[in-house]
Amino acid sequence: GGSYNGGGSSLGNINRKSGNLVAGVESYKSYMAGLVIKAPESLDWLAGSALYAGIVKGLEVGNDNDPVTYYVGGSLATPWKEVTVGAAYDYLANGSFAESYGNATSVYLNFQATEKLKLNGRFEYATSSGGLFVPGGIDDEKIIGVTGTADYALFANVVTRVEVRWDTLVGGSNLRAFDG
């Protein structure tokens, strides 16, 4: 502990090459593991539904932190083949400092409107011990996020995506999430 080591999972730059801010070295690695269980075709309209679980161990970005991200989620096919629903839960342990945390719960809806157009909506609720979402940090941060996405397949293997996102800090603070 006690040194700053380049990238890190808590700041969204888990794949960043280590810098030499204090004692970072290029040999530092991130580790990840994942598990996917998919429903077989024999389950009729549930075919293709899936459960996901994963873990990512990233690089430290502050004093006395040891960031680990845990993920569990699932997507559920519906009787309407164009519609898929899902939910996910993420938990970040020790992201900013020892014993800090951040977590997010999300639900989403995907609609295949046409062969080339897919519409997606997502609602998220996230909390943290402070400093993860708001620079300067406040205790017990709470954020709501709403995202809408339209994917359009222009050509084979080429997707154009437009996304609109709204985030707000809840709980009476006048601070802005993600530094405005």
Side-chain angles (χ1 to χ4, degrees):
S3 63
Y4 291 85
N5 300 319
S9 61
S10 67
L11 299 180
N13 53 0
I14 194 164
N15 294 321
R16 180 177 156 199
K17 187 163 120 180
S18 295
N20 192 13
L21 298 176
V22 173
V25 295
E26 282 195 36
S27 63
Y28 282 6
K29 305 290 183 217
S30 295
Y31 301 93
M32 59 190 301
L35 175 67
V36 179
I37 301 171
K38 284 201 168 194
E41 294 294 323
S42 62
L43 288 182
D44 196 26
W45 59 267
L46 281 172
S49 297
L51 291 174
Y52 306 90
I55 183 171
V56 178
K57 170 67 178 88
L59 297 176
E60 298 84 2
V61 293
N63 287 323
D64 300 321
N65 75 323
D66 186 19
V68 181
T69 302
Y70 304 92
Y71 168 85
V72 64
S75 63
L76 180 66
T78 68
W80 307 279
K81 68 177 185 169
E82 301 85 6
V83 177
T84 304
V85 296
Y89 176 75
D90 293 89
Y91 182 82
L92 171 63
N94 307 313
S96 299
F97 51 86
E99 299 183 29
S100 65
Y101 74 90
N103 64 56
T105 303
S106 59
V107 292
Y108 58 89
L109 174 72
N110 301 326
F111 175 61
Q112 189 75 48
T114 69
E115 184 180 333
K116 293 187 173 200
L117 178 63
K118 186 174 188 179
L119 303 173
N120 308 289
R122 183 175 68 241
F123 174 84
E124 298 169 286
Y125 177 71
T127 62
S128 86
S129 55
L132 216 59
F133 306 132
V134 180
I138 58 173
D139 289 337
D140 300 320
E141 297 170 334
K142 295 173 185 70
I143 289 186
I144 289 176
V146 179
T147 306
T149 307
D151 293 348
Y152 190 78
L154 288 172
F155 311 104
N157 301 317
V158 177
V159 174
T160 300
R161 179 173 291 146
V162 175
E163 184 169 276
V164 176
R165 182 173 175 100
W166 174 76
D167 295 305
T168 188
L169 195 63
V170 295
S173 172
N174 62 352
L175 296 173
R176 304 276 314 259
F178 309 113
D179 201 20

